[in-house]
């Protein structure tokens, strides 16, 4: 029965930051729908663990890559194409997030979040473009954005700037690449990932307030069954007329306009 009716059967997907959290959830959802998944991360052990898990659904491989370095990104994309023959779906998910008071933001924090945000997103989109354009089922780009952005969430100045820039890249590429059969969209999730937990562990009352008071659907999201399934839609055949939008998968925590 393997493979019957799976919407991403044989499609090749790159998911950055897929060693854990949201990226791992998206990678799992893709693999269960038949995609060949390239798990890209700096954390090689975590990436290998995810690949082992995905291998029961189909072909998967891990790629050690520091997404801040465009030469490593180019080499990573070339290695994926060498191994799987194409890139049909690109998910720019990895981030080295920071938080803190606006006036205390350091140069290093700003560099980290911009280097792993819009700069890495552009590096991957640029390197993948010729392959996405040649994709038989149409190229798909999914960039991770954040509900903290429209809210201007206090304590996240550099991070919000990074995500706003990612949103800008998405809109421009959506305009330019539609004629090449490529859609470009954003996902804005809310999941208690390792990254999010490291922030909320020190502020449990803030998490409770967000879940109980700010979410219309008062529960935490799941990286695979909530965010991953939304990513399957944006990566698959049913979304070919959807581009340039932000799909919030955050229990109604934020509304983008
Ligand atoms: N978790 C949430 O609720 C939430 C909310 C809004 C937006 N997002 C967005 O979703 C995405 C994933 O979030 P998460 O919470 O799963 O993050 P996370 O911190 O748990 O995981 C990030 C992954 O990126 C990898 N990474 C970091 N720097 C890297 C680099 N230089 N090169 C390669 N890999 C690198 C890390 O090793 C890690 O595996 C991010 O873009 C984040 O901004 C998450």
């Amino acid at each position: 029965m393997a493979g019957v009716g799976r919407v991403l059967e044989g499609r090749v997907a790159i998911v950055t930051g897929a060693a854990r959290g949201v990226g791992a959830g998206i990678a799992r959802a893709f693999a269960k729908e038949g995609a060949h998944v390239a798990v890209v991360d700096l954390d090689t052990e975590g990436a290998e663990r995810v690949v082992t898990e995905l291998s029961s659904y189909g072909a998967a491989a891990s790629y050690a890559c520091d997404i801040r370095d465009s030469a490593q990104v180019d080499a990573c994309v070339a290695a994926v194409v060498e191994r799987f023959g194409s890139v049909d779906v690109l998910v720019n998910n990895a981030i080295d997030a920071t938080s803190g008071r606006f006036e205390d933001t350091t140069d290093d924090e700003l560099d980290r979040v911009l280097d792993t945000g819009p700069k890495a997103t552009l590096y991957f989109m640029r390197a993948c473009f010729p392959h996405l354009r040649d994709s038989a089922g149409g190229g798909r780009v999914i960039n991770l954005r954040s509900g903290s952005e429209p809210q201007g969430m206090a304590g996240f100045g550099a991070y919000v700037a990074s995500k706003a820039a990612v949103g800008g890249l998405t809109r421009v590429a959506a305009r330019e690449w539609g004629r090449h059969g490529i859609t470009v969209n954003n996902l804005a999730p809310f999941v208690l990932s390792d990254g999010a937990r490291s922030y909320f562990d020190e502020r449990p009352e803030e998490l409770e307030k967000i879940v109980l008071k700010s979410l219309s659907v008062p529960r935490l999201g799941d990286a695979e069954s909530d965010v991953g399934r939304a990513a399957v839609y944006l990566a698959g055949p049913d979304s070919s007329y959807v581009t340039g939008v932000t799909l919030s998968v955050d229990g109604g925590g934020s509304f983008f306009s």
Side-chain angles (χ1 to χ4, degrees):
M1 279 300 284
V4 175
R6 299 196 296 181
V7 295
L8 301 180
E9 194 65 52
R11 302 261 285 166
V12 178
I14 291 177
V15 185
T16 71
R20 69 183 198 183
V22 171
I26 292 172
R28 280 186 200 104
F30 280 6
K32 288 179 184 177
E33 287 294 347
H36 305 318
V37 184
V39 175
V40 176
D41 211 292
L42 263 184
D43 171 6
T44 47
E45 276 180 29
E48 266 310 308
R49 272 197 301 277
V50 172
V51 165
T52 304
E53 199 190 318
L54 302 191
S55 299
S56 52
Y57 304 105
S62 71
Y63 295 85
C65 173
D66 186 339
I67 64 168
R68 294 170 296 183
D69 178 350
S70 68
Q72 288 192 40
V73 171
D74 289 348
C76 173
V77 172
V80 172
V81 172
E82 168 89 27
R83 161 113 194 220
F84 292 114
S86 63
V87 179
D88 303 293
V89 181
L90 166 66
V91 182
N92 285 300
N93 166 82
I95 192 84
D96 188 359
T98 69
S99 63
R101 283 192 306 201
F102 197 100
E103 61 274 25
D104 296 335
T105 307
T106 66
D107 294 2
D108 177 57
E109 286 169 341
L110 188 57
D111 284 344
R112 270 171 41 204
V113 83
L114 294 177
D115 288 351
T116 55
K119 289 177 74 176
T121 296
L122 194 144
Y123 296 158
F124 266 102
M125 289 174 70
R126 187 174 66 190
C128 289
F129 172 69
H131 311 293
L132 294 165
R133 186 185 50 196
D134 290 347
S135 168
R140 298 280 188 274
V141 180
I142 301 170
N143 295 329
L144 271 290
R145 213 169 158 195
S146 171
S148 63
E149 186 200 323
Q151 294 167 14
M153 193 170 170
F156 289 89
Y159 177 78
V160 164
S162 167
K163 291 298 175 184
V166 168
L169 293 175
T170 300
R171 288 192 292 277
V172 173
R175 294 246 184 248
E176 293 192 11
W177 291 359
R179 74 196 63 186
H180 300 299
I182 304 168
T183 66
V184 189
N185 292 293
N186 300 301
L187 264 182
F190 182 57
V191 168
L192 198 55
S193 61
D194 291 332
R197 192 172 280 121
S198 68
Y199 174 79
F200 285 117
D201 272 356
E202 291 166 23
R203 306 164 181 83
E205 69 299 333
E206 198 174 318
L207 180 62
E208 197 182 324
K209 199 170 111 196
I210 288 176
V211 173
L212 295 179
K213 302 224 173 96
S214 309
L215 303 188
S216 309
V217 182
R219 66 167 174 85
L220 290 165
D222 183 82
E224 180 186 341
S225 60
D226 293 312
V227 185
R229 293 303 305 171
V232 166
Y233 166 69
L234 291 178
D238 294 335
S239 62
S240 64
Y241 203 52
V242 177
T243 197
V245 306
T246 295
L247 178 54
S248 297
V249 186
D250 63 356
S254 62
F255 300 137
F256 282 79
S257 56

